[in-house]
Amino acid sequence: MDCCGDRLIGAQVFALSGQAEKQCGETLTYNRDQIEFDCDYVIADQIRVDLPDGMLTLCEVEVYGGEMPKYHRIDSDDMWASQSSTYSNELAGRAIDGNTANRRSQNSCTHTEGSGYQWWEVDLGAYYKVHKVVIYNRMDCCEDRLDGAQVEASYGNNLVKLCGQIDYESRKGTYTIKCGDTIADRIRIIQHGQFLTLCEVEVYGEKGKLEFNHLIIIHA
């Protein structure tokens, strides 16, 4: 760090496999001697560091990998999304369309109409051991609207677990909420007193089954 450490601000890291690519972590917005980017177990054979403007100087790049975890991103083809209300044509299904663009003008984000008790829900189409939920926030405006939003895992109409709550951080584009391998077939995101806008929701887990450890029989 003898000079020009701030030149890396704005850098992005991508993991590539063939024509597919995924951004690892967030666009760099601060300067530090050592910076880590989480690629979240993506399969890749190339790593690319992009800097849209200025000169790119790297003193060392280390890549760490290992075996894939048992959970994976659940395919959204069998999912169905709904929400408490819809503003304009910003439908619930936009959050599971595979488009992670985070600007409203890119037609990728949902938007509820009310500002009281707001919710967005996805039916996973089957039972899964839900490990985590990744939420992409809107970044062209109103980022803090997501502050305090809660993520719930459930099966049928039964709440199984409150997975966690979003604690807003300025300029943070994605939030990861762990659900602890909870068996569920639905994920609901709720917000109070504010519009709810989601640019993409990814659910990670593995196919599971609902098990009962006892049976109650009531004789009339």
Side-chain angles (χ1 to χ4, degrees):
M1 295 292 289
D2 59 337
C3 166
C4 320
D6 59 353
R7 286 181 180 173
L8 269 182
I9 293 177
Q12 298 174 314
V13 175
F14 293 89
L16 297 88
S17 177
Q19 298 299 315
E21 67 175 45
K22 177 183 178 179
Q23 183 174 351
C24 300
E26 302 291 322
T27 300
L28 188 62
T29 57
Y30 59 91
N31 177 36
R32 200 163 59 191
D33 289 356
Q34 179 177 306
I35 303 158
E36 295 185 5
F37 293 84
D38 185 2
C39 292
D40 199 20
Y41 291 100
V42 65
I43 294 177
D45 57 6
Q46 298 178 62
I47 297 293
R48 188 180 75 235
V49 181
D50 285 356
L51 184 64
D53 299 303
M55 293 181 285
L56 178 62
T57 299
L58 304 170
C59 292
E60 187 73 14
V61 176
E62 298 175 345
V63 181
Y64 294 83
E67 293 184 2
M68 289 286 290
K70 62 183 180 181
Y71 55 85
H72 60 280
R73 183 167 65 85
I74 300 171
D75 193 335
S76 62
D77 288 347
D78 296 326
M79 295 183 184
W80 184 81
S82 58
Q83 58 189 9
S84 53
S85 60
T86 300
Y87 178 78
S88 186
N89 65 337
E90 291 159 270
L91 302 171
R94 287 186 175 186
I96 54 170
D97 62 0
N99 184 358
T100 60
N102 56 18
R103 296 178 178 273
R104 187 180 175 193
S105 61
Q106 295 171 303
N107 299 320
S108 174
C109 303
T110 70
H111 199 309
T112 60
E113 189 171 26
S115 57
Y117 173 72
Q118 303 296 295
W119 56 266
W120 176 93
E121 183 176 278
V122 61
D123 185 327
L124 303 177
Y127 291 111
Y128 288 87
K129 288 183 178 180
V130 178
H131 179 74
K132 67 179 180 179
V133 178
V134 178
I135 300 169
Y136 291 75
N137 194 16
R138 178 181 175 184
M139 297 301 291
D140 60 332
C141 164
C142 323
E143 300 169 31
D144 59 350
R145 286 180 179 173
L146 208 55
D147 186 41
Q150 296 178 320
V151 178
E152 299 176 344
S154 64
Y155 64 84
N157 294 318
N158 304 298
L159 173 63
V160 177
K161 182 175 183 177
L162 173 62
C163 298
Q165 176 175 302
I166 291 176
D167 295 318
Y168 166 73
E169 297 180 32
S170 178
R171 304 310 301 163
K172 184 173 182 178
T174 60
Y175 294 88
T176 299
I177 304 295
K178 299 291 183 66
C179 286
D181 293 339
T182 299
I183 295 287
D185 66 347
R186 298 185 187 188
I187 297 295
R188 174 174 282 208
I189 300 171
I190 62 175
Q191 181 61 296
H192 297 275
Q194 188 56 272
F195 297 104
L196 180 59
T197 297
L198 307 167
C199 291
E200 192 71 14
V201 177
E202 297 175 344
V203 184
Y204 290 76
E206 65 172 339
K207 205 69 170 287
K209 62 181 179 179
L210 191 60
E211 297 178 345
F212 296 92
N213 59 11
H214 66 277
L215 176 65
I216 298 176
I217 300 176
I218 299 176
H219 295 276

